[in-house]
Amino acid sequence: MTAPSPSPAPEPPNAPSPSQSPSYEVWAVAGMPEVRPGDDLARLVADAAPGLRDGDVLLITSKIVSKAEGRIVRADSREEAIDAETVRVVARRGPLRIVENRQGLVMAAAGVDASNTEPGTVLLLPADPDASAAAIRAGLRELLCVDVGVIVTDTFGRPWRAGLTDVAIGAAGVRVLDDLRGGTDAHGNPLSATVVATADELAAAGDLVKGKAEGLPVAVVRGLGHVLGEGASAAQLVRPAAEDMFRLGTSEAVREAVTQRRTVRAFTAEPVDPAAVRRAVAAAVTAPAPHHTTPWRFVLVESEGARRELLDAMRDAWIEDLRRDGKSEESIAKRVRRGDVLRNAPYLVVPCMVMDGAHTYGHARRDAAEREMFVVATGAGVQNFLVALAGEGLGSAWVSSTMFCRDVVRKALGLPEDWDPMGAVAVGRAAEAPRERAPRPADPFITIR
């Protein structure tokens, strides 16, 4: 790299020639004036860097783009500005908010920034950074007759990494991603997951010479003309939600899992990973319980023979009960068909309650209350289990039928007499997307005294 000057520094002794080793130059553009609302950025850059060549890439700090576009608000409106620019809150710690903003970027404070702007003001990000980059590129083509790439940059923190770096939030004329999948490395190994974020790498290179406090908002990279290309935009750098394993903050992930837990009655034939079920059980047994007990037992019905024996025995017991109730054979057949959710799911779990450690009072009311405590604790464990399954991407349906024939279930599964089956859970991949659930506000379920 060179000093902040458009002329490359002298080569060190024994430096490889360009024909021997790939190389590029990067320098900050000196002489940029203070940018005001309404300024023509392309003209300001052209005046400061008249020697731009075809194939150069400009790295332009988003702050001067925001200033030129009038994206300035009063500092006392910063929190309101963050709210207005926020689509969703990803994480929060004290006053700090990590949010997804209107441009689809996940970043601190929606990109609303108080640095490098006049006292008493803050800057919003450009409304459409890709369009801003395209306008600057078109202006430079007209003013200097050059074909350059333009990247609008901003400073980001990164998950799991200390420190800040510049990344591309807008681009024009640059291939923002270099997809190497399908190729091979130097040893002939296939590249199956390598997609290089070229625009982000260029942004970081520019930041090394622009700095954060030197008042040098524009840099030029020369020697990488192969990265230029049409039709790309920085929006392509934002990972689609469906592919983003780390999209949610901790509290948002919990809320998402709870709200996305839905009763699924139609499953695909895709097998369920038993390890995922065991992880859900591990979450289930963190539920609260009375007297420091552990009242939960989860029977994982993984054997097809055990599953068939259980469901056949439950069906026969149910039919017998319905006949005793005087139901017609047609009515019985319909009811049995509705119970096929357990039979059609690829995986079956039977949660059970045990009352080891329960207190005995010799008083009917108090003994009944003791059992109720264990039932509530078991229900909390089952809810944990269902939510954890949702977090694993699995659908589920809790069905109460085992509670009506506990002796039959214990016999079919070979369970101890003190294990009380508390329903059954069908587990699998949902065959179709769940219907939209109408919002359910909390107020109707709250009483305040």
Side-chain angles (χ1 to χ4, degrees):
M1 295 183 184
T2 67
S5 164
S7 301
E11 290 185 338
N14 304 318
S17 69
S19 61
Q20 293 174 308
S21 177
S23 64
Y24 66 90
E25 305 169 59
V26 57
W27 67 88
V29 173
M32 286 287 297
E34 181 68 24
V35 176
R36 305 291 181 188
D39 280 351
D40 182 343
L41 276 183
R43 184 167 294 280
L44 295 181
V45 172
D47 290 344
L52 288 174
R53 303 176 189 169
D54 288 346
D56 287 348
V57 180
L58 270 79
L59 297 316
I60 301 179
T61 302
S62 64
K63 290 180 179 61
I64 66 169
V65 179
S66 295
K67 289 179 180 179
E69 296 178 356
R71 300 278 287 166
I72 305 170
V73 298
R74 299 189 318 276
D76 59 7
S77 301
R78 185 171 187 265
E79 292 303 313
E80 293 178 14
I82 294 172
D83 290 341
E85 295 296 303
T86 295
V87 173
R88 66 185 180 94
V89 176
V90 175
R92 186 191 301 267
R93 180 170 293 173
L96 176 63
R97 281 183 281 173
I98 305 298
V99 307
E100 179 184 349
N101 66 12
R102 293 179 180 276
Q103 293 84 357
L105 304 169
V106 175
M107 58 192 309
V112 178
D113 197 347
S115 64
N116 291 303
T117 185
E118 292 183 0
T121 66
V122 295
L123 295 174
L124 311 182
L125 289 179
D128 185 343
D130 284 322
S132 302
I136 296 169
R137 182 184 184 223
L140 290 170
R141 182 186 291 116
E142 181 177 345
L143 293 166
L144 299 179
C145 298
V146 291
D147 183 19
V148 297
V150 175
I151 294 175
V152 177
T153 71
D154 198 60
T155 303
F156 268 46
R158 297 150 301 148
W160 314 290
R161 304 287 289 179
L164 304 171
T165 187
D166 265 20
V167 301
I169 65 168
V174 177
R175 292 187 293 109
V176 298
L177 293 169
D178 191 6
D179 192 345
L180 303 180
R181 292 173 297 183
T184 57
D185 64 17
H187 297 280
N189 300 309
L191 299 173
S192 58
T194 304
V195 181
V196 178
T198 304
D200 282 350
E201 292 184 328
L202 290 165
D207 188 44
L208 290 174
V209 294
K210 288 188 298 176
K212 299 298 184 191
E214 285 77 5
L216 298 169
V218 179
V220 179
V221 170
R222 178 168 291 167
L224 297 178
H226 64 279
V227 304
L228 267 63
E230 302 294 336
S233 72
Q236 294 171 246
L237 292 162
V238 179
R239 193 183 298 275
E243 300 174 12
D244 189 352
M245 295 176 65
F246 309 104
R247 177 175 172 78
L248 306 177
T250 303
S251 61
E252 189 184 36
V254 172
R255 290 194 302 273
E256 181 85 359
V258 171
T259 57
Q260 292 304 310
R261 194 231 40 93
R262 305 287 291 276
T263 296
V264 175
R265 301 199 176 275
F267 299 92
T268 68
E270 181 181 350
V272 169
D273 178 7
V277 178
R278 285 161 172 76
R279 289 192 294 270
V281 172
V285 298
T286 64
H291 315 313
H292 305 289
T293 59
T294 53
W296 320 278
R297 303 292 184 271
F298 289 84
V299 183
L300 311 185
V301 187
E302 297 181 344
S303 157
E304 185 56 38
R307 172 200 189 86
R308 188 182 308 111
E309 182 177 351
L310 169 66
L311 295 179
D312 287 351
M314 288 175 57
R315 180 196 58 203
D316 293 344
W318 192 13
I319 290 173
E320 186 177 337
D321 282 347
L322 291 171
R323 283 175 176 160
R324 276 199 298 266
D325 292 341
K327 303 296 184 184
S328 69
E329 293 302 313
E330 181 181 0
S331 173
I332 291 172
K334 287 182 179 179
R335 290 167 184 263
V336 170
R337 281 196 298 273
R338 285 202 299 269
D340 278 348
V341 62
L342 297 178
R343 197 174 293 274
N344 295 334
Y347 200 99
L348 186 62
V349 178
V350 178
C352 296
M353 177 183 74
V354 297
M355 293 187 62
D356 290 346
H359 294 177
T360 301
Y361 300 98
H363 185 285
R365 178 177 55 79
R366 297 181 69 187
D367 287 343
E370 183 79 2
R371 177 177 173 80
E372 287 175 357
M373 286 197 303
F374 278 77
V375 170
V376 169
T378 304
V382 172
Q383 172 70 352
N384 275 9
F385 180 62
L386 300 178
V387 170
L389 288 173
E392 295 281 351
L394 293 168
S396 63
W398 177 80
V399 180
S400 63
S401 52
T402 66
M403 300 171 70
F404 294 89
C405 53
R406 285 180 169 140
D407 289 341
V408 170
V409 175
R410 281 192 285 259
K411 180 178 179 182
L413 295 176
L415 304 180
E417 285 298 315
D418 62 344
W419 286 30
D420 279 349
M422 302 295 283
V425 180
V427 182
R429 302 281 178 185
E432 56 188 26
R435 296 177 182 174
E436 282 294 322
R437 174 187 278 160
R440 185 177 290 173
D443 287 351
F445 305 94
I446 294 174
T447 299
I448 298 175
R449 292 288 186 264

